[in-house]
Amino acid sequence: MEILGTPLTDQIVLALQHFDTLCETIGAQEKLLMTCYISDESVLDSVIKTWAFYCSNMNHRSDLWMDKSDDVEKCLVLVKISELPRGAVAEFGGVTCKRLIVDDNDSDKKEREENDDVSTVFQKLNLNIEGFHNTTVSAFGYNRNFITGFVDSREELELILEKTPKSAQITLYYNPKEIITFHHHIGYYPVEKLFDYRGKEHRFGLHIRS
């Protein structure tokens, strides 16, 4: 995949490289939940290409990231906001860990149901979870689930927010024009627009830790 060397693209690469350096410094390179903030929608395509390049075998193709394992593209929520500090066009943030991943969406369905309480809730509610990505991390004999998902129905969103266990940490990205119910255990982040890792626009984006 070719990434054109424009000034804006260079800024995006540097923003991602900065986040990667922080992860390397603390020894936590595995991406679990990722958010990219952009201040200019015109860079959306460049961000998507840069993220895809970063996630897929980039250690074999670039000297910028050596000894880097592959990451899962689907854990990204891309949000458009009005502005970023210092006039930046993009900024990356997220939740990472060491090499403790024991399960992801490609694992056996039965095992996923046993380990993933939130996904089990979604299934019992007959919700469409095809747009949700889950990674389960094991530490000290305890499993935690990290879920990225998108919803385009307000009714479905309300059902998820109501039925998800209160012990789960939920971050909801949404446009403030949307009318939604307030829940004390949810972090609300108003944005202008939001997209998945492919650049498809959605009404609501979710990061769930359980």
Side-chain angles (χ1 to χ4, degrees), residues 99-165:
R99 300 180 184 277
L100 298 173
I101 297 177
V102 296
D103 184 33
D104 61 20
N105 280 351
D106 295 328
S107 299
D108 181 77
K109 179 179 179 181
K110 181 178 180 181
E111 180 181 352
R112 185 169 67 246
E113 289 178 349
E114 292 174 351
N115 293 330
D116 186 0
D117 293 337
V118 175
S119 290
T120 301
V121 170
F122 292 171
Q123 291 167 358
K124 289 180 179 179
L125 295 173
N126 293 320
L127 296 177
N128 179 14
I129 60 173
E130 291 183 0
F132 283 71
H133 170 77
N134 174 59
T135 298
T136 302
V137 175
S138 179
F140 307 107
Y142 178 73
N143 290 343
R144 293 200 64 188
N145 299 288
F146 296 81
I147 300 173
T148 298
F150 299 89
V151 181
D152 293 307
S153 162
R154 188 169 66 85
E155 291 74 18
E156 191 168 285
L157 173 71
E158 294 289 356
L159 196 57
I160 291 173
L161 299 183
E162 179 183 349
K163 298 299 183 180
T164 299

Side-chain angles (χ1 to χ4, degrees), residues 23 50 117:
C23 294
T50 302
D117 293 337

Side-chain angles (χ1 to χ4, degrees), residues 80-97:
K80 164 69 172 65
I81 58 178
S82 59
E83 60 180 347
L84 285 165
R86 300 180 298 278
V89 296
E91 185 173 297
F92 290 85
V95 178
T96 64
C97 74

Side-chain angles (χ1 to χ4, degrees), residues 185-199:
H185 66 294
I186 296 171
Y188 293 85
Y189 286 80
V191 299
E192 294 181 1
K193 292 183 178 182
L194 61 102
F195 310 86
D196 61 24
Y197 74 104
R198 291 176 176 169

Side-chain angles (χ1 to χ4, degrees), residues 40-51:
D40 186 341
E41 194 174 341
S42 67
V43 304
L44 179 63
D45 186 60
S46 294
V47 170
I48 293 168
K49 290 180 179 179
T50 302
W51 175 246

Side-chain angles (χ1 to χ4, degrees), residues 12-20 34 50-51 54 65 92:
I12 295 166
V13 172
L14 287 174
L16 186 51
Q17 187 179 12
H18 175 67
F19 181 79
D20 182 79
M34 287 292 297
T50 302
W51 175 246
Y54 173 81
W65 287 280
F92 290 85

